[in-house]
């Protein structure tokens, strides 16, 4: 039996109290969150809570139930790890019985105390075997129905690593959980995304105080700035230093029988398969490790690889403290639920624009290998090396697509509606830069600096040129002089990357200001790759794959033709930090000139597509741009999330309409783009076809539907056009003959509709209720009186 730490006992007690309270509260899908740092023992704490609760239900009399069944859902293969851990945990108490789906008695349902472990990927598809109808009626949903209905046993679902169920997976997650319809959902994660419900939190410092996890993380320790050009790439130099740190720790930990592990993570673009950049870095890492004097390879067991299509045989024992493997190369899959306390050093290759680490990944090196601190304090920290270049480093939560998402659900029993909606695809036709772009680029630079193009073929100035102006012709010297006066640096010796060094991180969410930086010089091969990446990101709206080589070639020819600077030296000029604004401006102007030269015929006018709108079952929001509003109760989806940038009229009307519960059945705040939201067609003041996404949809208890869009006078030059289009939409809709259902009643798609733009004057709201020419004066408008509509 595991002896719990102080913070673990406290968390178990709090979890147990909350579960009992929610069971007594009744109803379905009562949510609670358990937030605890990586390495704190979340599985142990949840297991201990289940064990104690299961035994106390029959003795305490505090809960209306004396029996409970449990379902544990986890992503990837984490459910197997939790299943094995729990079997060990309950081997003595035997109060609970962990089971897999095939071990269940399907004709009887789950028994009291059974814990069903499920892999998320096995139930998140409509045709998944565990939920698909079959002749034997052996499905997950039927199993749980029998548990609740026939056996009268409440079901508690534990959602392990719940942050993985958001983002792109939110809709699928919601559908599965709605079908399971448990009494309680206990959502567990170091970085949970669910808010607005009971939450039990274990603080990081509590776990540190019990010496379960390291005190913190040091970022790029002992990295020094380059004094001269190195033959090694930046990646190789960082790998070299990370290996040295691993070896230092190995000498210190040898007396404890621990062989520290260096983790090397490839750039993570949310795909387990390797792209071109990742493959290049993976090959570079393997080749460097195999060099004489280092000799760390898969063949000799020093290197292990954990990629989607490549897994080394020595992975089986890699988590053991005395395993011989020194380096593990991985991409994404290892970052979830992997427990290897001897992991001590982490080398992360980040994408060029990335400024973040994820909590889950950094957490891989935070566990203490023997769950106690050492007298040598350097062993009580984790070490991270990275090529990330930023002034501020963010440690962020981790989910499937690195976007923290929240979602709201349609209220149970809500009377839905149907509205005819429109959508206009904004995607422009994909095209590429052609040969004419080079001409426009040359002309742009020439006009900006008043340059002369060098004669072809170019003179041979030889390799002794000092890259100043000696030995070049008068045209080149004049061009270079004009460029320097415009602030363009042509004498660039090296291109550096500045990375943080000796910076402290804790591993929890937050931002750290970088004070110390080291400058590492790029070598020729790195500059070539960096320049291609720069060109790929500066082709504007043109197809990247086809247009990148066109821009790359044109820029190099431009520097050569006007300044007599070639290949790698030209790339240095183009990538030099102080030249970046100048170069980007030239590219932008040239792209504009090229685009204008291609407009030989007008583009085809875009057309509307007709869609059907109804209140969605689930709506996903980006948590970085919305805030939950607990004081709102009558929104069609709950909880209600409001845009951080919502206008004052929008916020005020939302609160006002939410209070009108005597007459309002529900109201809905519409989105502002995309075919999933409600829009009507209109023509703007410039004569262009547009989609008008109406702010608010309000259903009254008398069946009338109101469509309102809040404004302040003069805030939108298209207000009259939008109002008039909305008035005509309502008029045409009301003139349509209603379709009747089988009971002879109008279908939900044929309700009376009214609406318009809405302006607040004093304490009252007014709308035109007809055609207008402007919104500057509300004289003659109708006061919005919900009781009279």
């Amino acid at each position: 039996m595991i002896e719990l730490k102080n913070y673990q006992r406290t968390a178990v007690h709090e979890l147990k109290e909350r579960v009992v309270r929610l069971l007594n509260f009744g109803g379905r899908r009562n949510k609670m969150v358990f937030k605890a740092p990586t390495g704190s023992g979340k599985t142990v704490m949840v297991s201990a809570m289940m064990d104690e609760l299961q035994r106390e239900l029959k003795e305490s009399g505090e809960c209306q139930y004396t029996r409970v069944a449990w379902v544990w859902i986890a992503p990837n293969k984490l459910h197997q790890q939790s299943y094995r851990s729990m079997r060990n945990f309950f081997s003595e108490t035997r109060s609970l019985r962990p089971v897999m789906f095939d071990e269940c008695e399907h004709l009887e349902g789950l028994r009291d105390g059974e814990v069903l472990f499920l892999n998320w990927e096995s139930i998140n598809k409509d045709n998944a075997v565990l939920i698909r109808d079959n002749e034997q009626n052996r499905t997950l949903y039927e199993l749980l129905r029998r548990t609740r209905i026939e056996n009268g046993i409440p079901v508690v679902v534990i959602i392990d690593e719940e942050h993985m169920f958001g983002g792109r997976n939110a809709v699928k997650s919601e559908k599965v959980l709605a079908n399971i319809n448990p009494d309680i959902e206990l959502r567990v994660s170091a970085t949970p995304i669910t808010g607005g419900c009971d939450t039990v939190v274990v603080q990081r410092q509590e776990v540190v105080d019990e010496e379960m996890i390291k005190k913190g993380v040091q970022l790029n320790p002992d990295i020094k700035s380059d004094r001269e050009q190195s033959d090694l790439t930046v990646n190789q130099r960082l790998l070299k230093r990370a290996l040295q740190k691993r070896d230092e720790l190995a000498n210190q930990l040898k007396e404890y029988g621990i062989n520290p592990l260096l983790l090397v993570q490839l750039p993570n673009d949310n795909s387990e398969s390797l792209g071109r950049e990742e493959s290049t870095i993976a090959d570079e890492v393997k080749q460097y490790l195999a060099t004489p004097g280092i000799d760390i390879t898969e063949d000799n067991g020093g290197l292990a690889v954990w990629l989607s299509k490549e897994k080394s045989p020595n992975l089986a024992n890699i988590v053991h403290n005395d395993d011989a493997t020194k380096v593990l190369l991985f991409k994404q899959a290892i970052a979830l639920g992997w427990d290897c306390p001897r992991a001590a050093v982490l080398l992360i290759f980040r994408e060029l624009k990335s400024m973040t680490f994820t909590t889950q990944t950094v957490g891989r090196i935070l566990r203490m290998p023997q769950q106690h601190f050492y007298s040598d304090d350097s062993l009580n920290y984790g070490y991270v090396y990275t090529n990330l270049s930023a002034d501020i480093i963010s440690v962020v939560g981790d989910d499937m697509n690195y976007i923290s998402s929240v979602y709201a659900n349609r209220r149970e029993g809500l009377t839905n509606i149907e509205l005819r909606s429109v959508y206009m695809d904004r995607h422009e036709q994909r095209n590429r830069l052609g040969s004419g772009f080079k001409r426009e680029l040359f002309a742009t630079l020439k006009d900006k600096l008043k340059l002369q193009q060098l004669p072809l073929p170019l003179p041979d100035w030889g390799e002794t040129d000092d890259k100043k102006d000696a030995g070049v012709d008068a045209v080149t010297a004049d061009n270079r002089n004009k460029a320097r006066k415009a602030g363009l640096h042509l004498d660039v010796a090296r291109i550096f990357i500045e990375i943080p060094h000796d910076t402290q991180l804790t591993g929890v969410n937050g931002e750290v200001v970088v004070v110390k930086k080291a400058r590492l010089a790029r070598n020729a091969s790195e500059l070539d790759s960096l320049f291609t990446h720069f060109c790929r990101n500066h082709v504007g709206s043109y197809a990247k794959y086809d247009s990148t080589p066109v821009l790359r070639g044109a820029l190099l020819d431009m520097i050569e033709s006007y300044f007599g600077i070639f290949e790698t030296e030209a790339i240095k000029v183009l990538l030099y930090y102080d030249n970046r604004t100048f170069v980007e401006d030239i590219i932008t102007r040239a792209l504009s000139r090229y685009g204008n030269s291609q407009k030989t015929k007008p583009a085809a006018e875009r057309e509307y597509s007709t869609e059907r709108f109804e209140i969605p079952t689930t709506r996903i929001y980006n948590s970085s741009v919305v805030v939950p509003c607990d004081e709102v109760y009558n929104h069609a989806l709950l909880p209600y999330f409001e845009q951080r940038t919502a206008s004052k009229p929008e916020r005020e009307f939302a609160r006002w309409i939410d209070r009108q519960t005597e007459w309002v059945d529900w109201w809905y705040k519409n989105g502002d783009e995309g075919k999933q939201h409600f829009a009507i067609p209109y023509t703007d003041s410039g004569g262009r076809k547009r989609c008008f996404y109406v702010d608010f949809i309000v259903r009254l208890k008398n069946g009338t539907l109101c469509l309102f869009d809040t404004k302040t006078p003069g805030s939108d030059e298209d207000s009259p056009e939008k109002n008039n289009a909305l008035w005509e939409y309502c008029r045409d809709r009301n003139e349509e003959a209603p379709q009747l259902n089988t009971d002879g009643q109008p279908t939900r798609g044929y309700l009376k509709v009214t609406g318009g733009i809405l302006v607040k004057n004093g304490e009252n709201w007014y709308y035109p209720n007809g055609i207008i020419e402007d919104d500057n004066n509300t004289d003659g408008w109708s006061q919005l009186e919900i009781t009279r509509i």
Side-chain angles (χ1 to χ4, degrees):
M1 188 72 174
I2 297 176
E3 182 177 349
L4 299 180
K5 303 289 186 180
N6 290 330
Y7 71 86
Q8 292 175 330
R9 282 195 292 268
T10 300
V12 168
H13 179 72
E14 290 184 21
L15 287 169
K16 196 167 49 178
E17 283 190 335
R18 306 285 175 93
V19 171
V20 169
R21 185 166 72 243
L22 291 179
L23 284 173
N24 286 331
F25 179 75
R28 295 286 174 80
R29 300 200 62 189
N30 295 301
K31 297 179 179 63
M32 58 181 293
V33 169
F34 181 37
K35 179 180 179 180
T38 299
S40 61
K42 292 186 291 293
T43 300
V44 168
M45 287 183 276
V46 174
S47 299
M49 178 274 294
M50 296 165 62
D51 174 47
E52 292 183 17
L53 181 64
Q54 195 69 38
R55 289 184 279 114
E56 293 176 9
L57 283 178
K58 297 174 176 58
E59 302 170 0
S60 67
E62 296 179 356
C63 183
Q64 63 171 318
Y65 296 102
T66 59
R67 301 182 298 170
V68 176
W70 310 81
V71 178
W72 190 297
I73 305 176
N76 300 336
K77 296 183 179 180
L78 187 58
H79 72 300
Q80 296 176 355
Q81 178 180 316
S82 299
Y83 172 77
R84 290 190 294 268
S85 298
M86 196 169 290
R87 285 189 71 90
N88 294 332
F89 188 85
F90 294 124
S91 60
E92 296 180 20
T93 65
R94 298 188 178 181
S95 59
L96 298 179
R97 179 173 175 257
V99 295
M100 292 295 191
F101 186 75
D102 291 338
E103 299 172 333
C104 296
E105 294 291 342
H106 289 271
L107 294 179
E108 300 178 10
L110 289 179
R111 299 168 180 170
D112 176 34
E114 283 191 326
V115 186
L116 172 59
F117 282 85
L118 295 171
N119 164 243
W120 163 240
E121 287 74 18
S122 69
I123 60 175
N124 70 348
K125 300 178 180 64
D126 291 336
N127 63 346
V129 173
L130 298 192
I131 63 175
R132 190 172 62 213
D133 289 338
N134 54 68
E135 293 180 0
Q136 295 80 25
N137 210 13
R138 286 169 50 97
T139 70
L140 172 65
Y141 300 149
E142 178 61 19
L143 176 72
L144 298 180
R145 186 198 67 79
R146 286 174 175 162
T147 304
R148 286 194 309 268
I149 306 302
E150 297 180 9
N151 300 341
I153 300 177
V155 174
V156 177
V157 170
I158 295 153
I159 304 170
D160 199 2
E161 303 291 358
E162 78 107 19
H163 60 278
M164 301 289 286
F165 293 76
R168 297 172 186 168
N169 290 319
V171 173
K172 292 179 180 179
S173 306
E174 176 58 28
K175 184 176 180 180
V176 170
L177 291 169
N179 285 326
I180 293 176
N181 199 21
D183 295 78
I184 296 176
E185 296 173 15
L186 172 54
R187 296 164 174 258
V188 182
S189 176
T191 55
I193 59 175
T194 300
C197 59
D198 274 355
T199 302
V200 175
V201 179
V202 173
Q203 300 294 341
R204 178 184 176 277
Q205 192 56 48
E206 294 179 287
V207 188
V208 173
D209 290 343
E210 293 282 359
E211 302 184 2
M212 292 282 286
I213 61 175
K214 295 184 173 82
K215 295 179 179 180
V217 172
Q218 294 186 13
L219 182 62
N220 288 336
D222 303 320
I223 292 289
K224 307 298 182 184
S225 295
D226 285 337
R227 296 184 179 275
E228 57 185 31
Q229 189 72 45
S230 171
D231 292 333
L232 298 179
T233 66
V234 170
N235 290 347
Q236 290 168 344
R237 278 172 278 171
L238 288 171
L239 178 56
K240 178 181 179 180
R241 187 66 195 95
L243 277 171
Q244 290 172 344
K245 175 57 70 175
R246 193 219 73 87
D247 292 342
E248 292 171 12
L249 297 176
N251 289 331
Q252 295 164 292
L253 288 168
K254 188 175 182 179
E255 64 178 293
Y256 303 103
I258 298 170
N259 182 31
L261 184 67
L262 164 61
L263 307 179
V264 179
Q265 185 184 30
L266 300 174
N268 195 335
D269 61 356
N270 195 36
S271 170
E272 289 191 24
S273 59
L274 296 187
R276 183 184 306 171
E277 181 183 2
E278 293 88 0
S279 295
T280 300
I281 296 176
D283 291 341
E284 183 179 20
V285 169
K286 291 178 182 178
Q287 290 170 10
Y288 180 81
L289 292 175
T291 56
I294 300 176
D295 196 27
I296 297 176
T297 67
E298 288 184 86
D299 291 339
N300 63 25
L303 171 66
V305 177
W306 189 338
L307 302 172
S308 60
K309 297 181 180 180
E310 182 183 359
K311 291 181 174 61
S312 304
N314 54 334
L315 287 172
N317 298 316
I318 197 169
V319 299
H320 297 166
N321 279 345
D322 60 352
D323 184 73
T325 307
K326 298 178 180 179
V327 180
L328 173 63
L329 176 66
F330 73 101
K331 188 166 191 276
Q332 179 180 349
I334 193 178
L336 179 66
W338 188 69
D339 187 359
C340 182
R342 74 182 182 98
V345 185
L346 175 63
L347 171 56
I348 309 179
F349 294 117
R350 311 307 291 149
E351 294 179 348
L352 290 176
K353 292 186 177 180
S354 174
M355 293 182 292
T356 64
F357 296 120
T358 61
T359 309
Q360 300 288 332
T361 300
V362 175
R364 296 307 118 208
I365 61 167
L366 284 179
R367 288 181 171 86
M368 290 301 298
Q370 295 175 312
Q371 297 187 358
H372 65 76
F373 287 162
Y374 300 101
S375 57
D376 186 339
D377 202 42
S378 65
L379 300 177
N380 301 325
Y381 287 86
Y383 299 90
V384 174
Y385 293 85
T386 180
N387 59 352
L388 179 149
S389 179
D391 294 322
I392 297 177
I393 295 173
S394 299
V395 180
V396 301
D398 204 12
D399 74 9
M400 291 294 275
N401 54 354
Y402 297 96
I403 298 176
S404 180
S405 301
V406 292
Y407 55 90
N409 302 313
R410 190 172 65 207
R411 285 159 42 188
E412 190 172 347
L414 180 135
T415 303
N416 214 330
I417 54 143
E418 287 182 9
L419 288 173
R420 184 177 63 252
S421 180
V422 298
Y423 175 69
M424 184 179 288
D425 192 354
R426 293 182 178 181
H427 189 264
E428 300 292 338
Q429 185 176 2
R430 188 169 179 264
N431 56 358
R432 64 181 292 276
L433 289 176
S435 58
F437 172 74
K438 178 178 174 180
R439 179 176 60 252
E440 302 300 340
L441 183 69
F442 275 43
T444 301
L445 181 67
K446 182 178 180 181
D447 292 347
K448 185 178 180 69
L449 298 181
K450 309 301 181 186
L451 302 178
Q452 303 178 64
Q453 188 170 339
L454 301 184
L456 296 178
L458 293 173
D460 181 8
W461 291 305
E463 297 181 359
T464 59
D465 184 6
D466 63 359
K467 294 190 301 180
K468 302 290 183 182
D469 298 332
V472 303
D473 66 3
V475 173
T476 306
D478 183 60
N479 285 348
R480 292 184 180 184
N481 185 50
K482 290 176 179 177
R484 293 191 183 102
K485 287 182 178 179
L488 192 65
H489 297 263
L490 301 178
D491 312 311
V492 182
R494 286 179 286 177
I495 297 293
F496 291 93
I497 176 175
E498 290 189 336
I499 63 173
H501 76 99
D502 295 326
T503 300
Q504 301 294 319
L505 303 177
T506 63
V508 297
N509 290 14
E511 292 185 339
V512 176
V513 176
V514 176
V515 178
K516 299 178 180 179
K517 289 187 176 183
R519 303 173 78 226
L520 304 182
R522 303 277 195 179
N523 65 17
S525 64
E526 288 180 296
L527 290 176
D528 190 72
S529 298
L530 199 63
F531 182 54
T532 298
H533 193 280
F534 171 82
C535 293
R536 187 183 305 128
N537 288 330
H538 287 83
V539 294
S541 61
Y542 295 94
K544 293 183 183 295
Y545 181 81
D546 296 319
S547 302
T548 297
V550 177
L551 176 58
R552 177 188 166 98
L555 286 171
L556 291 176
D557 287 349
M558 178 185 74
I559 299 298
E560 178 180 320
S561 298
Y562 285 104
F563 305 119
I565 300 173
F566 306 92
E567 296 299 332
T568 300
E569 302 307 314
I571 291 175
K572 290 178 184 178
V573 171
L574 291 163
L575 292 181
Y576 186 59
Y577 180 80
D578 288 342
N579 291 343
R580 185 64 64 89
T581 301
F582 182 95
V583 173
E584 289 177 344
D585 179 64
I586 291 294
I587 294 172
T588 301
R589 290 169 181 258
L591 288 172
S592 177
R593 291 176 62 145
Y594 177 75
N596 291 333
S597 71
Q598 300 301 302
K599 293 180 180 179
T600 56
K601 58 180 181 179
E605 191 173 57
R606 292 180 294 168
E607 297 295 332
Y608 294 108
S609 63
T610 302
E611 308 292 334
R612 186 187 72 173
F613 173 81
E614 60 182 23
I615 303 300
T617 303
T618 299
R619 181 171 166 186
I620 304 170
Y621 300 84
N622 183 342
S623 64
S624 66
V625 298
V626 296
V627 291
C629 299
D630 296 334
E631 72 274 16
V632 171
Y633 300 99
N634 205 28
H635 190 253
L637 305 182
L638 291 177
Y640 173 57
F641 293 102
E642 186 170 70
Q643 296 286 325
R644 296 180 187 272
T645 57
S647 66
K648 183 179 179 181
E650 287 177 351
R651 293 196 302 270
E652 290 182 345
F653 183 73
R655 273 65 178 174
W656 182 85
I657 198 67
D658 196 66
R659 294 194 297 269
Q660 313 304 314
T661 53
E662 186 175 351
W663 302 279
V664 174
D665 186 15
W666 53 259
W667 62 276
Y668 179 71
K669 178 61 177 72
N670 191 33
D672 55 11
E673 64 176 358
K675 64 171 62 179
Q676 73 273 30
H677 299 304
F678 172 67
I680 66 168
Y682 84 103
T683 302
D684 68 13
S685 55
R688 292 163 295 192
K689 287 184 177 181
R690 301 278 191 179
C691 291
F692 174 25
Y693 290 86
V694 184
D695 282 339
F696 293 93
I697 302 171
V698 182
R699 188 186 189 279
L700 304 184
K701 290 185 176 179
N702 64 13
T704 300
L705 208 60
C706 304
L707 307 175
F708 291 121
D709 196 85
T710 55
K711 301 291 182 187
T712 54
S715 64
D716 185 346
E717 64 179 0
D718 289 333
S719 282
E721 287 78 11
K722 291 179 178 179
N723 175 82
N724 299 342
L726 184 53
W727 187 84
E728 291 173 355
Y729 176 90
C730 295
R731 180 198 62 193
D732 295 345
R733 192 67 162 46
N734 292 330
E735 290 176 355
E736 294 178 359
Q739 293 183 357
L740 305 181
N741 59 25
T742 55
D743 297 327
Q745 299 297 317
T747 64
R748 67 182 186 179
Y750 284 84
L751 305 171
K752 177 185 174 183
V753 183
T754 188
I757 66 169
L758 202 59
V759 173
K760 190 176 184 182
N761 191 342
E763 296 300 316
N764 299 315
W765 295 91
Y766 295 86
Y767 67 106
N769 203 18
I771 300 295
I772 62 171
E773 293 184 0
D774 63 65
D775 64 352
N776 293 319
N777 192 330
T778 59
D779 291 345
W781 289 23
S782 299
Q783 181 179 336
L784 177 58
E785 297 179 274
I786 295 293
T787 57
R788 298 194 176 190
I789 294 180

